[in-house]
Amino acid sequence: MNNRVYIFDTTLRDGEQAPGFSMTAEEKLQMALQLAKLGVDVIEAGFAAASKGDFEAVRLIAEEVKGPVICSLARALEKDIELAAQALEPAERKRIHTFIATSEIHMKYKLKMQPEDVLERASRAVAFARNFTDDVEFSCEDATRSQREFLYRIIERAIKAGATVINIPDTVGYAVPEEFAKLIEDIMNNVPNIDKAIVSVHCHDDLGMAVANSLMAVKHGARQVECTINGIGERAGNAAMEEIVMALKVRKDFFGELYTNINTKELYKTSRLLCRITGSFVPPNKAVVGDNAFAHESGIHQHGVLSHPLTYEIMSPEDVGFPATRIVLGKHSGRHALKSKLKDMGYELSEVEIDRIFEKFKALADKKKEVYEEDLEALIY
Ligand code: KIV
Ligand code: ZN
């Protein structure tokens, strides 16, 4: 099996659907251009049938963004698929992503359809989408709460109808990693024509396991991950791209030869661009891109990092385009960090002088969250 894991970015579709994250077509284009620079394989630019604005955004991205496959979501309805195809028409490479719910609860209460009719609808939608492109993705919405046998049947039918990617969403963020891995493994072993499609996963973070579930899925045969920058998305969000990509890169000992084509040095920039565009922020302790991801305040950690960064950093800030390791001077900091900071500021001081400043520094740090260079200047004299 191929070791390449395709990165399907849905920041501009699932991410944008979340309250407070809507973007104009121009803003989406700006993000899409950066996503192309980042090296994502597929950009889900929107849901063309959802609104005129969404249609225009998909169309604009299809016209302007070269490199990644441009994709639009569409319900398993001819009118949605036609709109997706129209919006994608100028794209160099295009994908139609059609979906229908497959769990009993969704079929009964939301779709009000019988399972046999859902099978038929899915198959017809995929075949219809193939009239516009050879690249058609089919998603079984709420797959993790669907009956296994029904899932196998609908996936087999979708592939027969022409689906080239089969997506298994954990729509409500319900799965746990071991169970999700088993679901992917079961699909690989029980759908007779599964070798004709790429298996994709799309995990939500309602129980905080979207990234873990996605990683277990690729370990067990999935080769596309749907994810978003900063993990934005419906409710608790989607799997965070930066975390998935860095986990595969940093933990090669566990994941083996699996790799993505992401230029990881663009991750931080992409994260910050999204924050600026949406007026949102990432928490300081956010993995990979948070302000504290490479910051150290405690004395023991500072001493370690100053001696050798790998003592407390499993990746380097440069790997993700982060400005630099930040040594924060606060009440937990030690003499080593203070000495190193004073040296960076241009002061060559004797050990006695450093001892004197360190005492004053500790007293100040007890009153203040962070001690800045200006504070140290005052302490020196
Ligand atoms: O969460 C979900 O199931 C989705 C599908 C439309 C792929 O976003
Ligand atoms: Zn979703």
Side-chain angles (χ1 to χ4, degrees):
M1 190 182 271
N2 195 335
N3 290 323
R4 166 113 178 247
V5 176
Y6 293 97
I7 295 294
F8 176 114
D9 179 89
T10 186
T11 307
L12 303 178
R13 198 279 295 169
D14 212 320
E16 204 237 0
Q17 270 170 226
F21 286 95
S22 65
M23 295 172 235
T24 65
E26 278 304 324
E27 288 168 338
K28 279 186 156 195
L29 175 61
Q30 213 188 335
M31 261 319 283
L33 290 167
Q34 177 58 29
L35 290 168
K37 224 166 138 196
L38 179 64
V40 306
D41 298 291
V42 185
I43 295 176
E44 189 164 52
F47 185 171
S51 70
K52 200 162 166 281
D54 241 30
F55 180 93
E56 274 157 16
V58 177
R59 178 100 188 170
L60 184 63
I61 291 168
E63 276 163 1
E64 302 290 332
V65 181
K66 307 295 168 216
V69 171
I70 310 300
C71 172
S72 172
L73 186 67
R75 286 169 299 181
L77 295 171
E78 289 196 359
K79 65 176 186 348
D80 272 32
I81 294 168
E82 271 167 352
L83 281 168
Q86 272 174 35
L88 291 170
E89 202 265 320
E92 224 174 34
R93 300 161 69 205
K94 56 182 90 119
R95 176 180 298 179
I96 295 177
H97 174 192
T98 187
F99 73 100
I100 194 161
T102 51
S103 62
E104 279 183 11
I105 186 169
H106 275 238
M107 290 192 286
K108 184 168 174 194
Y109 294 104
K110 186 183 79 175
L111 298 175
K112 300 187 184 2
M113 283 173 75
Q114 292 303 315
E116 292 308 311
D117 299 329
V118 170
L119 274 174
E120 203 45 49
R121 169 91 70 87
S123 169
R124 269 196 275 121
V126 170
F128 186 66
R130 281 295 300 250
N131 293 323
F132 305 99
T133 170
D134 289 344
D135 188 348
V136 174
E137 174 168 331
F138 173 69
S139 281
C140 319
E141 193 190 11
D142 205 16
T144 48
R145 295 191 300 170
S146 302
Q147 279 194 343
R148 282 285 208 280
E149 291 303 322
F150 185 65
L151 265 187
Y152 302 154
R153 285 178 66 208
I154 202 162
I155 293 170
E156 187 180 355
R157 286 281 296 270
I159 296 173
K160 265 197 192 133
T164 46
V165 180
I166 294 292
N167 185 37
I168 310 299
D170 183 23
T171 303
V172 290
Y174 181 72
V176 296
E178 203 178 320
E179 172 193 41
F180 195 55
K182 175 85 169 71
L183 171 61
I184 299 303
E185 216 173 81
D186 287 350
I187 289 170
M188 305 304 280
N189 292 331
N190 289 288
V191 176
N193 53 0
I194 198 69
D195 59 312
K196 309 229 162 20
I198 290 176
V199 174
S200 167
V201 290
H202 173 116
C203 298
H204 280 270
D205 208 32
D206 300 65
L207 292 174
M209 288 187 272
V211 169
N213 285 332
S214 306
L215 289 169
M216 285 305 278
V218 295
K219 181 104 176 136
H220 288 81
R223 284 295 177 270
Q224 177 180 279
V225 175
E226 304 198 356
C227 46
T228 60
I229 297 296
N230 298 340
I232 68 168
E234 288 275 10
R235 306 180 309 282
N238 288 67
M241 185 201 301
E242 59 279 6
E243 296 177 23
I244 288 167
V245 168
M246 290 316 290
L248 291 177
K249 191 171 163 134
V250 171
R251 293 303 312 274
K252 277 208 170 305
D253 57 323
F254 183 76
F255 291 107
E257 294 309 308
L258 295 174
Y259 70 98
T260 72
N261 260 16
I262 294 296
N263 175 5
T264 62
K265 291 187 188 319
E266 292 288 326
L267 283 170
Y268 177 77
K269 196 168 150 198
T270 315
S271 160
R272 287 305 185 269
L273 176 65
L274 180 65
C275 292
R276 277 203 302 283
I277 286 178
T278 58
S280 62
F281 68 97
V282 288
N285 60 329
K286 166 79 180 63
V288 183
V289 292
D291 276 349
N292 288 354
F294 299 94
H296 308 274
E297 191 198 311
S298 92
I300 296 170
H301 289 212
Q302 289 175 335
H303 184 195
V305 166
L306 289 169
S307 308
H308 195 304
L310 290 183
T311 51
Y312 286 101
E313 284 180 352
I314 59 166
M315 55 192 132
S316 73
E318 305 87 72
D319 283 347
V320 300
F322 204 96
T325 294
R326 204 160 62 92
I327 297 291
V328 178
L329 292 178
K331 68 175 180 180
H332 304 107
S333 303
R335 197 175 175 286
H336 273 102
L338 177 70
K339 188 176 167 184
S340 152
K341 182 73 182 176
L342 290 169
K343 194 160 171 243
D344 288 350
M345 289 165 66
Y347 293 101
E348 289 293 344
L349 301 165
S350 70
E351 294 301 313
V352 177
E353 282 171 311
I354 290 174
D355 282 343
R356 179 184 61 82
I357 297 166
F358 185 58
E359 218 170 286
K360 291 206 269 180
F361 158 74
K362 276 293 197 186
L364 179 64
D366 255 339
K367 298 191 197 105
K368 222 170 165 270
K369 273 195 171 30
E370 192 171 335
V371 176
Y372 298 99
E373 287 190 7
E374 309 82 85
D375 302 316
L376 291 180
E377 301 273 7
L379 294 184
I380 290 167
Y381 301 107

